[in-house]
């Protein structure tokens, strides 16, 4: 006997005619489905008393120490189900879709769903046991979780070991670099270029000369060059020549023999060249070195040996020199205030560190880093700056560079009543420091934008090169716009993070 196919009209008599009826039917069906397919289910009222339990859940009652359903119903849920978090669902009205519950009955994967009345008030909740014995039913997921947990534990142990080694080295007086290239914050073309040059310098054994205004981060780069060099396991010794009296500089550099002069220590005092043996010696503010010591420094660098003050013994050393200055050394050579032969001895790998005004697009990222550092040092909430405040900071000339920026932020953070710093407060801080705030830059007009576009001659080259240049500029612009946030950059450009990391590595970001 043949039957005709069913049409949707054949079910019309079985479904409610109104939307509310359909919703109620669906709710009952879902409830029955969960009750039949889950490992167990129960209901509590708004006060947390158990009012209903299905057949599936009854098998857990003996393991919970409950004789039967009669002893289960009417009790507070936390009294008969140890470790349950059902009370939190009743108080917040928020569901807990997936959770692990462990008690005397075993370990379960559970869901907790609030029940609401028509006004949205909580009138009860449903507890559902999705899986019992998850160690078998969810074995693949648990194995992956266990593997991730092992990796996390291993990373924690390695981090603890590194901290222990660092603390031990500090207690033993070891001299180590404090910063890496990641500490030099910035993704502007100027910042990227200086880091590229510094990375290349780190691979050489020749002297490095860092040139730049005060507060630009020359010392950070000196530490980073040492940390990235083959001498990273050796000591990093820093000398600020401008901070040491001229009469003590020779002893500071070359050391002192016992009893070299009246009041001298009876023991040998090693100089900075000896302390830096096998590592890096950072000579900060080399332009302030007195002429009388320049000849001795030159000989030490050329011969690799020193003679401690008051001694006839030659001491050999193996040191890589990184020097830095905010002065115009070449002009000092012309004026006869700095030895020409010492200048060329140091000027082997010059690296110009750009002032902050030449990489103003890095200021948002620098502000974020400085605010976090300020919060850590002062045990406070990191200050937050609005768009207007950031635009004001970007517009300033910053004669003192990053050091001045840090000072302004710290003053503003100490003056504000909350963690929010606005443009008005920053303007007051700048004026109190003797600086008239510059107005934020206006956006470029269409004519100016067109004028800034490449000339026609720049377009007459292979398309692949033009596409590569465009990609580089797009990445740089996105990095600047998002302050170096790589996840946001990848989303903006519509590429995966893996592809972005690959491009950044090729561009030496």
């Amino acid at each position: 006997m043949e039957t005709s196919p069913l049409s949707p009209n054949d079910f019309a008599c079985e479904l409610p005619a109104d939307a509310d009826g359909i919703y109620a039917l669906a709710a009952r069906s879902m409830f029955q489905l969960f009750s039949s397919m889950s490992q167990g289910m129960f209901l509590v009222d708004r006060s947390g008393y158990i009012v209903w339990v299905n057949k599936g859940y009854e098998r857990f009652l003996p393991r919970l120490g409950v004789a039967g359903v009669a002893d289960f119903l009417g009790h507070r849920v936390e009294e008969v189900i140890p470790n349950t978090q059902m009370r939190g669902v009743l108080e917040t009205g928020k569901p807990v879709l997936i959770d692990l519950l462990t008690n005397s009955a075993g370990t379960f994967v559970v869901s907790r769903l609030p029940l609401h009345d028509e006004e949205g008030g909580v009138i009860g909740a449903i507890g559902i046991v999705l899986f019992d014995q998850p160690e078998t039913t969810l074995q693949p997921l648990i194995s992956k979780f266990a593997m991730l947990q092992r990796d996390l534990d291993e990373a924690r142990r390695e981090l603890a070991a590194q901290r222990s080694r660092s603390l031990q080295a500090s207690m033993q007086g070891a001299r180590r670099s404090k910063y890496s290239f990641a500490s030099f914050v910035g993704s502007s073309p100027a910042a990227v270029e200086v880091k590229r040059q510094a990375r290349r310098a780190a691979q050489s054994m020749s002297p490095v000369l860092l040139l730049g205004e005060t507060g630009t981060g020359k010392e950070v780069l000196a530490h980073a060059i040492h940390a990235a060099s083959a001498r990273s396991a050796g000591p990093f010794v820093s000398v600020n020549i401008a901070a040491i009296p001229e009469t003590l500089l020779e002893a500071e550099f070359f050391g002192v023999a016992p009893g070299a002069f009246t009041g001298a220590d009876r023991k040998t005092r090693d100089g900075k060249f000896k302390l830096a043996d096998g590592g890096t010696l950072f000579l900060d503010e080399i332009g302030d070195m007195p002429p009388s010591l320049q000849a001795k420094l030159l000989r030490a660098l050329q011969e690799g040996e020193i003679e401690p003050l008051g001694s006839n013994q030659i001491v050999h050393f193996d040191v890589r020199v990184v020097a830095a200055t905010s002065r115009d050394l070449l002009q000092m050579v012309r004026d006869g205030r700095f030895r020409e032969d010492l200048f060329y001895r140091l000027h082997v790998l010059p690296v110009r560190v750009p002032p902050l005004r030449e990489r103003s697009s890095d200021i948002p990222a620098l502000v974020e880093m400085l605010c976090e550092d300020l919060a850590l040092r002062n045990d406070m909430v990191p200050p937050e700056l609005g768009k207007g405040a950031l635009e004001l900071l970007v517009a300033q000339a910053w004669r003192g560079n990053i050091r001045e920026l840090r000072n302004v932020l710290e003053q503003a953070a100490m003056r504000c009543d909350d963690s929010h710093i606005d443009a008005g407060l920053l303007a007051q801080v700048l004026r109190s420091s003797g600086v008239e705030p510059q107005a934020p830059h206006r956006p470029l007009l269409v004519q100016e934008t067109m004028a800034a576009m490449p000339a026609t001659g720049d377009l007459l080259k292979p398309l692949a090169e033009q596409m590569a240049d465009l990609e580089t500029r797009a990445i740089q612009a996105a990095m600047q716009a998002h302050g170096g946030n790589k996840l946001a950059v990848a989303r903006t450009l519509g590429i995966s993070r893996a592809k972005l990391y690959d491009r950044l590595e090729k561009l030496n970001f």
Side-chain angles (χ1 to χ4, degrees), residues 153-212:
D153 292 341
E154 184 178 348
R156 285 173 173 167
R157 286 193 297 269
E158 177 62 24
L159 181 60
Q162 290 180 3
R163 289 175 176 171
S164 177
R165 289 193 295 269
S166 177
L167 179 61
Q168 184 178 5
S170 176
M171 295 176 63
Q172 294 174 352
R175 301 170 185 265
R176 294 287 183 265
S177 57
K178 302 176 183 178
Y179 309 108
S180 66
F181 284 114
S183 305
F184 191 88
V185 177
S187 58
S188 65
V192 171
E193 176 62 18
V194 74
K195 284 191 281 188
R196 185 190 68 81
Q197 294 180 16
R199 284 191 180 97
R200 290 187 62 184
Q203 307 308 313
S204 170
M205 292 296 120
S206 299
V208 180
L209 181 59
L210 301 174
L211 304 167

Side-chain angles (χ1 to χ4, degrees), residues 22-41:
I22 293 176
Y23 182 84
L25 175 62
R28 289 195 302 272
S29 299
M30 290 297 295
F31 183 86
Q32 294 169 359
L33 180 65
F34 274 115
S35 178
S36 61
M37 295 187 63
S38 68
Q39 302 299 315
M41 196 163 75

Side-chain angles (χ1 to χ4, degrees), residues 418-496:
D418 52 22
S419 60
H420 182 74
I421 299 176
D422 57 25
L425 178 58
L426 286 176
Q428 293 178 15
V429 172
L430 288 169
R431 291 191 179 97
S432 67
S433 301
V435 177
E436 184 59 32
Q438 300 296 314
H441 301 303
R442 62 180 177 83
L444 289 176
L445 299 177
V446 174
Q447 296 88 340
E448 297 170 325
T449 304
M450 294 297 293
M453 293 181 64
T456 304
D458 294 335
L459 301 177
L460 300 179
K461 58 182 181 180
L463 184 60
E465 293 183 18
Q466 297 187 49
M467 294 297 292
D469 292 342
L470 179 60
E471 182 183 70
T472 299
R473 291 199 298 270
I475 292 176
Q476 291 174 345
M479 290 288 286
Q480 294 170 25
H482 295 289
N485 187 322
K486 295 181 178 61
L487 178 58
V489 170
R491 287 176 177 171
T492 299
L493 298 178
I495 60 177
S496 66

Side-chain angles (χ1 to χ4, degrees), residues 97-402:
L97 298 180
I98 298 292
D99 195 15
L100 279 176
L101 172 65
T102 300
N103 53 35
S104 58
T107 299
F108 309 95
V109 178
V110 300
S111 287
R112 307 181 187 98
L113 308 176
L115 297 173
H116 299 276
D117 57 19
E118 295 180 356
E119 286 74 29
V122 178
I123 58 175
I126 305 174
I128 306 172
V129 178
L130 298 176
F131 301 100
D132 62 342
Q133 298 179 344
E135 61 276 5
T136 56
T137 55
L138 298 179
Q139 183 59 41
L141 182 61
I142 291 178
S143 297
K144 185 175 182 180
F145 175 79
M147 182 177 65
L148 292 174
Q149 187 65 46
R150 286 195 299 269
D151 292 343
L152 178 60
D153 292 341
E154 184 178 348
R156 285 173 173 167
R157 286 193 297 269
E158 177 62 24
L159 181 60
Q162 290 180 3
R163 289 175 176 171
S164 177
R165 289 193 295 269
S166 177
L167 179 61
Q168 184 178 5
S170 176
M171 295 176 63
Q172 294 174 352
R175 301 170 185 265
R176 294 287 183 265
S177 57
K178 302 176 183 178
Y179 309 108
S180 66
F181 284 114
S183 305
F184 191 88
V185 177
S187 58
S188 65
V192 171
E193 176 62 18
V194 74
K195 284 191 281 188
R196 185 190 68 81
Q197 294 180 16
R199 284 191 180 97
R200 290 187 62 184
Q203 307 308 313
S204 170
M205 292 296 120
S206 299
V208 180
L209 181 59
L210 301 174
L211 304 167
E213 299 175 6
T214 180
T216 52
K218 297 187 295 296
E219 185 173 356
V220 172
L221 282 178
H223 281 262
I225 288 172
H226 171 75
S229 72
R231 294 174 173 263
S232 59
F236 179 88
V237 179
S238 177
V239 183
N240 189 328
I241 296 173
I244 301 175
E246 183 177 341
T247 54
L248 298 179
L249 271 175
E250 186 173 354
E252 191 74 18
F253 275 113
F254 307 126
V256 181
F261 50 85
T262 303
D265 201 325
R266 294 178 178 271
K267 296 180 180 180
T268 300
R269 183 177 183 274
D270 291 332
K272 293 297 190 290
F273 274 98
K274 182 61 177 175
L275 293 175
D277 189 31
T280 300
L281 178 62
F282 175 48
L283 305 178
D284 198 9
E285 297 300 344
I286 189 71
D288 291 350
M289 176 170 283
S292 59
L293 192 59
Q294 291 178 20
K296 294 183 178 181
L297 175 62
L298 175 62
R299 176 174 175 79
L301 295 179
Q302 288 178 337
E303 304 299 331
E305 59 185 31
I306 56 174
E307 190 174 324
L309 198 64
S311 172
N312 294 323
Q313 299 294 321
I314 298 297
V315 177
H316 295 274
F317 64 86
D318 175 23
V319 165
R320 196 270 180 90
V321 171
V322 177
T325 182
S326 56
R327 295 176 177 267
D328 186 346
L329 281 190
L330 192 56
Q331 186 60 47
M332 292 179 67
V333 170
R334 297 190 187 103
D335 297 340
R337 292 180 292 140
F338 198 85
R339 290 183 63 101
E340 185 175 11
D341 46 7
L342 178 59
F343 171 78
Y344 288 116
R345 181 68 185 178
L346 296 172
H347 198 266
V348 179
L349 292 172
V351 177
R352 179 183 175 272
V353 186
L356 191 53
R357 61 182 172 274
E358 293 183 10
R359 54 188 194 102
S360 57
S361 60
D362 291 332
I363 288 180
L366 284 166
V367 167
E368 183 178 2
M369 180 271 294
L370 293 173
C371 287
E372 289 179 355
D373 180 67
L374 181 65
L376 287 174
R377 287 189 290 107
N378 294 278
D379 192 21
M380 57 186 285
V381 176
E384 296 181 359
L385 281 75
K387 181 180 179 181
L390 281 176
E391 290 176 348
L392 181 64
L393 294 180
V394 170
Q396 306 314 305
W398 300 115
R399 292 174 299 174
N401 295 294
I402 300 174

